[in-house]
Amino acid sequence: MDYVAEIYNLSSKFYKDHSINQYPEILVKPNRPYACLLVNYMDDLFLCIPFRSHISHKYAYHFKNSNRSRRCRSGLDYTKIALIKNDYYIDGNTPVVVDQDEYKETIQNLDRIVREVVRYVDDYKNHTNGVKVLHEREWKRRYGLSTLPYYDYLLLNTKATE
C-alpha cells in the first residue's frame, strides 16, 4: 500500500470550520493544537489520526515504549480521526511537538498503524453502505463516539479498499 505519513497540527481554519457545537467528537483543547499523523487514504483525502494521552478503548494504536505510555494509555486514536480534503486545514507553519519515543514507535510501526486505521475506516464505510453490516452492539462500541459520521459526505461515495 502506498501512503504518505507525516505529523502535522490542524490549522485554526479547521477548528473555525468545525466548531465544538456542531462537531462535539472532534478533539479541541484551547491554546493547544492536536498533533496528528497524516496518512494518505485516497488520491485527495487524508486521515488525520490524533496523538492522545489517554485512550481507554481498543480502536487505537497504544504506545508501549514511552515513559508517558507507562503512566497513561497514550496512543493514536482511530475514533477521533479528522478527514482532510483541503490542505488549508493542515498547519504547515507551526512546529509539531510529540514525545520522541512515541514518534520513533510510530515510524517503526507505521505499516501496522496504516493497516489498522484503513480497516477501521473501511469497516465503517462497508457497514454504512450495507456491504458488511456489523451487529448493533459492535457498531455502537466501535463508532458510537467516532468522528467518522461527520465525514459521510466524503466517505460514502467512495469504494472501500480491500
Side-chain angles (χ1 to χ4, degrees):
M1 170 184 287
D2 286 340
Y3 53 85
V4 174
E6 309 237 358
I7 298 174
Y8 288 100
N9 292 319
L10 292 173
S11 71
S12 58
K13 178 152 181 54
F14 174 86
Y15 289 109
K16 182 180 177 190
D17 292 350
H18 296 80
S19 72
I20 190 111
N21 295 334
Q22 191 173 4
Y23 303 96
E25 293 304 325
I26 290 179
L27 301 175
V28 177
K29 283 199 175 177
N31 303 318
R32 181 180 155 231
Y34 271 95
C36 296
L37 175 66
L38 198 67
V39 174
N40 188 10
Y41 180 62
M42 291 183 295
D43 291 337
D44 61 349
L45 189 62
F46 292 87
L47 303 176
C48 184
I49 314 159
F51 285 77
R52 293 192 67 194
S53 296
H54 303 280
I55 304 172
S56 60
H57 56 78
K58 68 180 184 176
Y59 306 106
Y61 176 82
H62 292 274
F63 294 119
K64 297 162 192 66
N65 301 320
S66 70
N67 287 332
R68 186 167 75 137
S69 68
R70 291 182 194 103
R71 289 189 316 271
C72 52
R73 294 187 63 177
S74 61
L76 292 160
D77 191 345
Y78 306 154
T79 69
K80 302 303 179 193
I81 294 169
L83 273 70
I84 305 296
K85 191 168 181 83
N86 301 306
D87 60 2
Y88 54 77
Y89 284 150
I90 300 167
D91 182 352
N93 298 321
T94 306
V96 181
V97 178
V98 294
D99 181 289
Q100 285 303 299
D101 292 333
E102 292 178 359
Y103 173 80
K104 288 177 190 171
E105 190 172 340
T106 298
I107 299 307
Q108 290 170 347
N109 292 283
L110 195 53
D111 288 339
R112 173 184 168 188
I113 293 164
V114 169
R115 196 171 48 251
E116 288 175 355
V117 75
V118 167
R119 185 178 327 123
Y120 179 80
V121 174
D122 284 351
D123 285 354
Y124 173 85
K125 285 171 44 174
N126 287 332
H127 172 88
T128 306
N129 283 329
V131 174
K132 184 179 177 190
V133 177
L134 300 170
H135 187 278
E136 184 178 338
R137 280 182 286 188
E138 179 65 17
W139 170 259
K140 191 169 194 130
R141 192 173 17 256
R142 283 193 202 183
Y143 303 105
L145 297 175
S146 176
T147 57
L148 289 179
Y150 303 148
Y151 302 103
D152 281 354
Y153 69 99
L154 291 173
L155 288 172
L156 298 185
N157 296 319
T158 60
K159 185 179 176 189
T161 56
E162 297 294 324

